[in-house]
Amino acid sequence: MKVITNHGDGDGSIGSDDGEDQDDASNASNYDGAPDSSPPPPGQSKTWTALTTHSPCYTGGTVAFSHSPSATTIASATAPAGDDGRTSSLSSRQNFILAQRGGDVSIIEASTGLLLRTVRKGKLFQSDDYNKNDGEEVEEDDDEVIDAEAITAFALSPNNVDLIAVTRSHLVRKYSLAAPAVAAVEEKDPMKKVDGKQSRNIKGGKKEMSDEPLVQSVTSITDPAKVTFSFGKSGHTLPVTKVAFHPSGIFFATGSVDGLVKIWDVRNGYATHALHPTSSDGGGSSSRGRYAVTCLEWRATATSLILAIGREDGSISIHDLLLNAYDTKTASLPVAVLRDHLSAVTSVTWTSEVGVINASGESPASASNATCRHGGGFFFSSGRDSVINTWMISEEEVADMDGPKRKKKKTSGGDNNQQRQVSITKVSYRRIRTLPIYEQVESMILLSRNFRPASELKRQNTILDKKDVVLATCGTKGIVRLWKATRGDGAGGVQSSISDLSLLAVQSDEEAFGEGNGGYTSLHLTSLSTTHLVPMLVAVDAEHNMAFLRVQWADDKNALEFATDRAIVGHNGEILDLSVIPQLGDAENNDKHRVAVATNSSQVRIFGLEKANEDEIGKGNMHHSALSPRGLLDGHAAIVLSIDSSPCGRYLVTASKDKTMRLWHISSKTCLAVATGHTEAIGSVALSNKVGCYDVGGKAAKNGAGAFAVTASKDRTLKVWPLPGSAVLTRWADGGGGEHPLNARLSARAHEKDINIVSVAPNDSLIATGSQDKQVKLWRSTDLALHGTLKGHKRGVWDCQFAPHDRVVATASGDRTLKLWSTTDCNCIRTFQGHMAGVLRVRFLESGLQMFSSGSDGLIKLWTIRTNECESTMDGHADKVWALDLSPCGTALFTGGADSKIAVWRDTTKERDDAVKAVEEQNIMMGQQLSNHLRRKSYEQALDIALALDKPNQVLRVLIEIVEKDTKSGRGIETLQKHVIKWSPDRLKQMLKYCREWNTRARNSHVAMLVVRAVVTTIPAAKLATSYEGIPEILAGISPYAERHFDRLDRMVGDSYLLDFTLASMGSLHGSNNEDYNIWAERRSKYVLPPKEAEGKIQIGGSLIVGGKKSRGSQSDSSDNDVVTIGDSDTDSDTETNIEEN
């Protein structure tokens, strides 16, 4: 980014040639010498926090949208036993999208497109190296990197909570996307849990609704989805690519590349049917690939089990699992096989007719034919053979005389077997219409009445009647079309029962994705609109974008049209460069910031961040801030390598590998001019920074007085391209006269190796270029004369930027350093070290006193120039950070890297300082309360405050007082046990950590052991081991020191026997006056039992016997009962002091 300044060509200009500006050179001298030790100036930035992150959320594959409330109503009516209605009522209010992300499934917030978490990793997906772990570049034949748990197909249940996923290893699992609101004890074998039900909720076979834990919203939790049941192996021999839920939520189907389709019962957890492909040529192993399942579609009614299976060979098998349920041999056979398609069948659908209640909640038109299961409706199919077939469905009852025979008991004269007549239903699908649309159809959906725009005028009813059948299709041409078929009375035969499909609406060329980009891959119908109540179509394209399309009446009210409501970018590819577009007074879309992003493609994407989101972030709601796409700039023929925006916010320049530079008008998103002349790829481009120069036109602009663009190419040349002025550029944008050529005014051979970066000074006087030859060169913009060369880096220079207010330039190099140079004498002023890899980008903050840098290590660092210190390090990327730019106001930082992430950061220094001050004030208040409670000897209240303040010494002091108080009153540890009951798991863990530290010192071990005793006697051991995470490890750390202390106490008790013996001996030596001795012996406060005499010997403590009758002068070296040595002898001899009994 080029920082906007108000400097002219006079005072304060960088690189000015006028002698009167020499005093301004003192600004650069401020950086000379040792770092300044003075306190930092007020307002200096210290901390930046991620505002939002645009991460890859979709890499191709299945996309599923949360079901509408009407669909969940049908599912709840026939929900499996044990499901409560609260889950369905909650799910109806959730709006989210599920999309495949490598081997995982992303959960995306529908309103913002923000990736919340993934099914397998939860919020931890942000720390993963996406390109290495989940990217498409991983070779499938490398057995070491293939993830056996990768999800290949999934389907969302109508209750919006349960997810069926099939892994690469053919395991079928049921996930719960909603987690309990309170922490619960997990079962030892979670794979055996059915529907996530806890055993404590079942009493006498009935479920207690009051004991059921509350269920959180799918979009509010961050943990990975929990596996509530495992169905085991799928039974397929090849990968499963399709999974479809029945509208009731009780059954689901899995389809594989091997052609087999299996039906599963969610309630009982097993497969009920295996539907094999049927072939006219007998099949065989050589033709198995022809029957790969390409689509699965249940008929949208909860009272029947009708399934359509489309395969690669163009066949469609219609199965009615309830039609022949009495016969196990024919139950798995199709009721009809349609073979009119010549290529893979991609989509099928039924019209909602008599006796059918569809997922949109439409009720039957009449009950006259309510018993019909298939008849009375139409069936549509489409495929990659570029046609849409219309089928008439009919059914009739036929008597089957060859039904199953029932064996009866023998009679005296009769046949043993009796044949009974069975009435069966014969279903037929007859093709009555075929519409060629000259496009491989990838997706087709039926729009019910609820999903159509309402007719406001009478003439609109003639265009779209309520009885018309409306279909939406998309395919390889990248255009969404709307088709209409009008129902007839059938008087002229089956052909007159419905008309041919006619085109009703088509997506405009400006909004269509286009055939050149790969076309659309799928089409969905959803009600996840944030701005309109009308449901919308969502078209998913080959570049993993989701476009929300709204069907509405045109301005003339005579035709229908598509309007793009918004879009979600699923995958950006590698971010090569980005530029923040300065905000205009009349900015569109109410965006706070707009940023142009160059991804690893020929297109440039523009994202916007709404103003209201910052207020939401201040409230702690992170889900309401996200980058939303605002358009595409498409015109280059190769990858765009560099972009830059004008300071006025009206123009954008892009440089590409196609050797051209393009000038764009941002508001109209049109290319105004093209600059050609380089012989190699253009690696960097920059625009002039003086706002007033963009209004200069005519000859003055051609002579260099106006705005200009600078390009640096791989051909090692530098070119300056003058712009014609805003008046001419506006006329070009409004006139639509095509792309105009730009002519280079100046050109020079700049370096001996590839040029990586070019930048322009704030006053447009100097141009800086950085190259792989380890040098940075400064050029005068007026004539491209060399102003100076900056030498000092040991590797190639990746970036160079001018300071906004001083005569200095910062450079970033592959030698892991940043350098600050004076533009006056071209000397190095400062060197900043701290990155562990090459530094790729550098930007100055608006004040010019600090700067940001990003490197190949994925880190962003904030530096203070005057102290040479790194103030903050931000870790938000898992790969190289190629793109870095600041908003003109300095309040937002945008970064992009090779990990496909775009991160938006905001300055939270003030919030952090305010939070620190608030905590300090609160600690002072609580400290005063603690002192007051200690003074009043209110130890129980003091303990809670000391724990809240996290002061171990104060907690120990309070506990000692509580223990002494309870010991005197004889209450034991009752007070401690009362506190233990009230402690939360975190508080309990905190206290046990204190005890672990106290227990290392002998004088504090007594209190620590009493606290541990209170814990283990209050909370069951099983609960401590399972419910409290980390508690067993803490207790294991307490145990070794506790054993040492108990051993020490045992030794002290043993040593106390010697003291008792000494006192007893002293009492016996006293003579006949034993009054004091008897008083001592009768005391109840003695530590051990008083000595007793037994057979002329003294028994101490019941275990040690000392003393005996011996002569005063006798010596014995072998008797332990005769001699006791106390201390060292006072003489030099080895004579021992003998204590004999009187």
Side-chain angles (χ1 to χ4, degrees):
M1 183 201 72
K2 313 304 181 291
V3 181
I4 304 171
T5 63
N6 294 323
H7 295 301
D9 295 334
D11 296 342
S13 61
I14 295 181
S16 175
D17 296 332
D18 298 333
E20 61 183 7
D21 295 334
Q22 295 298 323
D23 293 339
D24 292 339
S26 60
N27 293 332
S29 64
N30 292 335
Y31 297 114
D32 298 335
D36 191 358
S37 60
S38 60
Q44 181 172 294
S45 180
K46 292 285 186 180
T47 307
W48 287 66
T49 306
L51 180 67
T52 183
T53 300
H54 189 281
S55 301
C57 59
Y58 176 54
T59 60
T62 306
V63 177
F65 293 79
S66 58
H67 301 283
S68 60
S70 58
T72 58
T73 303
I74 296 177
S76 61
T78 57
D83 290 356
D84 62 57
R86 290 181 298 165
T87 301
S88 298
S89 61
L90 174 65
S91 64
S92 63
R93 298 189 299 269
Q94 303 177 25
N95 294 327
F96 59 91
I97 306 172
L98 301 179
Q100 282 190 272
R101 182 180 185 265
D104 208 339
V105 177
S106 301
I107 301 177
I108 308 168
E109 190 177 40
S111 60
T112 61
L114 188 66
L115 174 57
L116 304 177
R117 60 185 173 114
T118 63
V119 170
R120 294 175 57 195
K121 300 176 183 177
K123 201 70 172 178
L124 296 179
F125 73 90
Q126 294 182 345
S127 61
D128 296 339
D129 188 346
Y130 172 75
N131 289 335
K132 293 182 180 180
N133 295 339
D134 296 334
E136 298 176 350
E137 298 179 359
V138 179
E139 297 182 0
E140 294 183 358
D141 57 351
D142 191 353
D143 294 336
E144 296 180 359
V145 298
I146 288 180
D147 186 6
E149 297 298 318
I151 297 175
T152 60
F154 70 90
L156 179 65
S157 173
N159 63 7
N160 288 340
V161 174
D162 296 329
L163 177 75
I164 298 297
V166 185
T167 66
R168 193 189 299 272
S169 59
H170 303 288
L171 287 176
V172 183
R173 293 192 177 119
K174 177 184 175 184
Y175 290 87
S176 176
L177 301 182
V182 295
V185 182
E186 294 186 2
E187 295 185 4
K188 295 182 180 180
D189 189 7
M191 303 296 290
K192 297 300 182 182
K193 290 169 62 180
V194 179
D195 296 335
K197 303 177 182 62
Q198 301 289 341
S199 58
R200 61 183 176 86
N201 293 333
I202 307 298
K203 290 185 178 181
K206 295 183 179 180
K207 187 172 183 179
E208 291 186 344
M209 300 298 293
S210 59
D211 294 338
E212 181 71 15
L214 295 177
V215 178
Q216 291 183 344
S217 171
V218 174
T219 58
S220 64
I221 57 179
T222 59
D223 298 331
K226 295 183 179 179
V227 178
T228 57
F229 188 79
S230 178
F231 295 84
K233 289 287 186 178
S234 64
H236 295 279
T237 58
L238 293 177
V240 176
T241 57
K242 299 293 180 180
V243 182
F245 251 108
H246 187 263
S248 65
I250 301 176
F251 301 97
F252 67 92
T254 59
S256 171
V257 179
D258 58 8
L260 175 65
V261 174
K262 301 190 73 174
I263 311 299
W264 302 80
D265 189 341
V266 177
R267 298 171 299 181
N268 300 315
Y270 56 80
T272 60
H273 296 76
L275 310 179
H276 295 272
T278 58
S279 62
S280 58
D281 57 357
S285 59
S286 61
S287 60
R288 175 176 294 181
R290 293 177 49 196
Y291 307 116
V293 177
T294 55
C295 75
L296 287 175
E297 187 72 23
W298 292 91
R299 188 158 192 178
T301 170
T303 58
S304 64
L305 294 176
I306 302 175
L307 175 67
I309 305 172
R311 291 188 167 87
E312 188 73 27
D313 64 345
S315 65
I316 305 173
S317 300
I318 310 295
H319 293 263
D320 191 342
L321 304 182
L322 298 180
L323 186 61
N324 298 320
Y326 68 90
D327 190 355
T328 57
K329 294 182 179 180
T330 60
S332 298
L333 296 179
V335 296
V337 179
L338 317 179
R339 302 184 183 277
D340 287 31
H341 283 280
L342 302 177
S343 185
V345 179
T346 56
S347 298
V348 297
T349 185
W350 285 271
T351 58
S352 56
E353 286 296 330
V354 177
V356 176
I357 303 176
N358 65 4
S360 303
E362 294 184 359
S363 58
S366 64
S368 60
N369 209 6
T371 58
C372 294
R373 307 167 63 87
H374 297 261
F378 299 97
F379 180 74
F380 297 90
S381 63
S382 63
R384 296 194 176 104
D385 54 359
S386 304
V387 299
I388 299 177
N389 288 332
T390 305
W391 308 77
M392 169 72 77
I393 309 173
S394 61
E395 63 182 60
E396 58 180 345
E397 297 292 334
V398 179
D400 184 13
M401 301 304 299
D402 297 329
K405 299 179 180 180
R406 182 178 303 173
K407 184 171 290 187
K408 292 187 176 182
K409 294 182 180 180
K410 287 185 178 182
T411 59
S412 58
D415 192 2
N416 294 336
N417 295 331
Q418 181 178 358
Q419 196 175 38
R420 64 189 182 97
Q421 180 177 350
V422 179
S423 177
I424 64 173
T425 303
K426 183 179 180 181
V427 181
S428 64
Y429 282 68
R430 179 181 178 184
R431 180 171 59 87
I432 58 176
R433 301 283 183 184
T434 297
L435 174 68
I437 61 175
Y438 307 104
E439 176 189 20
Q440 294 184 13
V441 181
E442 295 294 335
S443 184
M444 176 186 65
I445 56 176
L446 175 70
L447 271 67
S448 62
R449 298 174 185 175
N450 296 339
F451 288 82
R452 305 177 192 176
S455 300
E456 301 175 357
L457 304 175
K458 291 184 178 180
R459 65 174 179 269
Q460 293 177 352
N461 293 327
T462 60
I463 299 174
L464 180 61
D465 190 76
K466 294 181 179 180
K467 297 181 179 180
D468 292 340
V469 177
V470 180
L471 297 175
T473 62
C474 69
T476 55
K477 290 188 176 180
I479 301 175
V480 179
R481 294 185 175 94
L482 217 59
W483 306 86
K484 180 189 72 171
T486 303
R487 288 189 177 94
D489 54 5
V494 294
Q495 295 291 337
S496 63
S497 59
I498 190 170
S499 67
D500 284 330
L501 290 170
S502 60
L503 191 61
L504 184 62
V506 63
Q507 196 176 13
S508 63
D509 295 338
E510 293 77 12
E511 295 184 352
F513 184 69
E515 185 177 7
N517 298 322
Y520 289 117
T521 58
S522 63
L523 193 63
H524 306 270
L525 196 61
T526 179
S527 58
L528 305 181
S529 175
T530 57
T531 58
H532 298 80
L533 298 178
V534 180
M536 292 183 297
L537 293 169
V538 181
V540 182
D541 58 47
E543 292 188 356
H544 311 143
N545 304 316
M546 305 177 193
F548 288 73
L549 307 176
R550 189 174 63 257
V551 182
Q552 62 184 15
W553 290 103
D555 296 336
D556 56 2
K557 305 297 182 180
N558 293 326
L560 291 174
E561 65 178 3
F562 289 100
T564 302
D565 184 77
R566 58 192 175 94
I568 294 176
V569 178
H571 187 261
N572 282 314
E574 186 174 0
I575 308 298
L576 301 181
D577 197 9
L578 60 81
S579 178
V580 178
I581 302 173
Q583 186 74 346
L584 296 175
D586 55 346
E588 300 176 356
N589 299 320
N590 198 33
D591 290 333
K592 179 66 176 177
H593 301 289
R594 287 186 299 169
V595 56
V597 180
T599 62
N600 197 17
S601 68
S602 60
Q603 297 176 335
V604 175
R605 292 174 177 171
I606 298 177
F607 291 87
L609 187 66
E610 296 181 359
K611 290 182 179 179
N613 293 340
E614 275 194 4
D615 299 334
E616 295 292 338
I617 293 302
K619 301 175 184 178
N621 192 348
M622 295 295 294
H623 292 172
H624 290 278
S625 178
L627 288 170
S628 301
R630 292 290 182 259
L632 290 174
L633 304 180
D634 191 4
H636 283 285
I639 296 175
V640 177
L641 299 177
S642 178
I643 56 177
D644 192 21
S645 58
S646 64
C648 60
R650 292 176 289 179
Y651 311 109
L652 188 78
V653 289
T654 58
S656 170
K657 281 186 177 182
D658 60 5
K659 309 174 189 178
T660 64
M661 179 202 72
R662 289 180 176 267
L663 177 66
W664 304 85
H665 189 258
I666 297 177
S667 298
S668 60
K669 299 179 180 60
T670 57
C671 180
L672 303 179
V674 181
T676 58
H678 285 286
T679 59
E680 297 289 344
I682 302 177
S684 182
V685 64
L687 282 171
S688 56
N689 290 315
K690 295 176 68 174
V691 179
C693 293
Y694 285 84
D695 297 328
V696 178
K699 293 183 179 179
K702 294 181 180 180
N703 295 331
F708 60 88
V710 186
T711 58
S713 172
K714 192 176 180 181
D715 59 10
R716 305 169 189 175
T717 61
L718 181 69
K719 293 182 182 293
V720 177
W721 311 81
L723 303 182
S726 60
V728 177
L729 295 177
T730 303
R731 187 169 65 252
W732 289 355
D734 297 338
E739 301 170 352
H740 298 78
L742 291 178
N743 299 320
R745 187 176 68 88
L746 299 171
S747 180
R749 184 178 176 86
H751 291 270
E752 296 302 323
K753 291 186 178 181
D754 295 349
I755 304 175
N756 295 327
I757 188 66
V758 60
S759 63
V760 182
N763 64 349
D764 298 343
S765 60
L766 289 178
I767 298 173
T769 57
S771 170
Q772 286 296 109
D773 60 6
K774 312 174 188 178
Q775 297 179 1
V776 176
K777 293 185 178 182
L778 303 178
W779 312 82
R780 289 200 296 266
S781 61
T782 56
D783 55 1
L784 280 189
L786 184 63
H787 176 77
T789 302
L790 312 180
K791 298 181 180 180
H793 282 293
K794 298 179 181 180
R795 290 191 177 181
V797 178
W798 286 107
D799 197 10
C800 57
Q801 294 294 325
F802 289 92
H805 307 299
D806 296 305
R807 297 170 178 264
V808 293
V809 61
T811 58
S813 172
D815 59 6
R816 308 178 185 179
T817 63
L818 291 162
K819 288 183 181 294
L820 207 63
W821 310 79
S822 171
T823 59
T824 304
D825 53 11
C826 298
N827 290 330
C828 180
I829 301 173
R830 293 284 173 85
T831 299
F832 302 85
Q833 297 180 345
H835 280 280
M836 301 303 294
V839 187
L840 301 178
R841 290 291 179 264
V842 60
R843 290 293 186 274
F844 281 95
L845 267 74
E846 187 181 15
S847 63
L849 302 178
Q850 292 179 294
M851 59 183 180
F852 279 104
S853 65
S854 64
S856 300
D857 50 7
L859 301 178
I860 301 110
K861 291 182 178 290
L862 173 64
W863 306 86
T864 298
I865 296 176
R866 64 188 302 170
T867 61
N868 242 42
E869 293 181 355
C870 177
E871 297 291 348
S872 177
T873 299
M874 296 170 284
D875 186 6
H877 293 273
D879 208 337
K880 299 180 180 68
V881 182
W882 287 111
L884 177 71
D885 203 2
L886 276 162
S887 62
C889 57
T891 59
L893 173 70
F894 293 80
T895 60
D899 57 357
S900 305
K901 292 182 182 178
I902 303 174
V904 184
W905 310 79
R906 68 187 184 103
D907 189 356
T908 56
T909 303
K910 185 178 183 302
E911 288 86 343
R912 189 200 64 172
D913 293 342
D914 293 343
V916 170
K917 291 180 181 179
V919 171
E920 291 178 352
E921 294 176 358
Q922 184 179 7
N923 289 342
I924 292 173
M925 294 294 296
M926 296 180 68
Q928 184 61 43
Q929 294 177 4
L930 177 61
S931 301
N932 295 338
H933 287 305
L934 291 175
R935 189 179 302 109
R936 293 193 295 264
K937 296 184 179 181
S938 302
Y939 298 120
E940 296 183 5
Q941 294 82 353
L943 178 61
D944 295 334
I945 297 177
L947 288 172
L949 292 174
D950 195 15
K951 293 186 175 181
N953 293 334
Q954 294 288 354
V955 175
L956 179 61
R957 175 185 171 187
V958 174
L959 287 175
I960 291 174
E961 297 292 342
I962 292 176
V963 169
E964 291 181 354
K965 181 180 178 181
D966 288 351
T967 302
K968 293 179 181 179
S969 60
R971 299 176 58 186
I973 57 174
E974 292 182 5
T975 304
L976 292 179
Q977 289 176 335
K978 291 180 180 178
H979 280 281
V980 170
I981 295 175
K982 297 185 297 182
W983 285 342
S984 64
D986 292 337
R987 185 72 75 204
L988 182 63
K989 187 184 300 185
Q990 176 188 4
M991 178 57 73
L992 289 179
K993 287 181 179 179
Y994 290 166
C995 293
R996 184 176 58 187
E997 298 299 325
W998 297 337
N999 199 40
T1000 58
R1001 304 187 65 179
R1003 67 177 185 179
N1004 300 331
S1005 62
H1006 179 58
V1007 176
M1009 289 296 99
L1010 288 178
V1011 175
V1012 173
R1013 179 186 174 188
V1015 171
V1016 298
T1017 56
T1018 304
I1019 303 175
K1023 188 175 181 181
L1024 284 175
T1026 57
S1027 301
Y1028 297 92
E1029 184 180 359
I1031 296 296
E1033 290 78 6
I1034 299 175
L1035 294 177
I1038 296 175
S1039 179
Y1041 281 97
E1043 293 177 357
R1044 292 186 185 181
H1045 296 315
F1046 284 126
D1047 292 341
R1048 178 176 55 82
L1049 292 176
D1050 288 340
R1051 291 194 303 270
M1052 185 180 68
V1053 171
D1055 295 341
S1056 67
Y1057 298 152
L1058 179 60
L1059 180 61
D1060 289 342
F1061 169 74
T1062 303
L1063 294 176
S1065 299
M1066 293 174 62
S1068 62
L1069 292 173
H1070 193 270
S1072 59
N1073 187 6
N1074 295 330
E1075 183 178 355
D1076 294 336
Y1077 171 75
N1078 294 332
I1079 294 175
W1080 168 79
E1082 292 176 356
R1083 287 179 179 174
R1084 297 296 183 185
S1085 61
K1086 273 181 53 54
Y1087 193 79
V1088 296
L1089 296 175
K1092 298 179 181 179
E1093 294 186 4
E1095 298 179 356
K1097 299 181 180 180
I1098 300 176
Q1099 182 177 357
I1100 305 297
S1103 59
L1104 181 62
I1105 300 178
V1106 298
K1109 295 181 180 180
K1110 297 186 72 69
S1111 62
R1112 183 176 298 275
S1114 63
Q1115 300 277 338
S1116 177
D1117 297 333
S1118 59
S1119 177
D1120 294 335
N1121 298 328
D1122 297 336
V1123 179
V1124 176
T1125 303
I1126 303 175
D1128 298 331
S1129 175
D1130 293 335
T1131 64
D1132 295 334
S1133 64
D1134 295 333
T1135 305
E1136 297 177 340
T1137 303
N1138 296 332
I1139 302 177
E1140 298 183 359
E1141 188 181 40
N1142 291 336

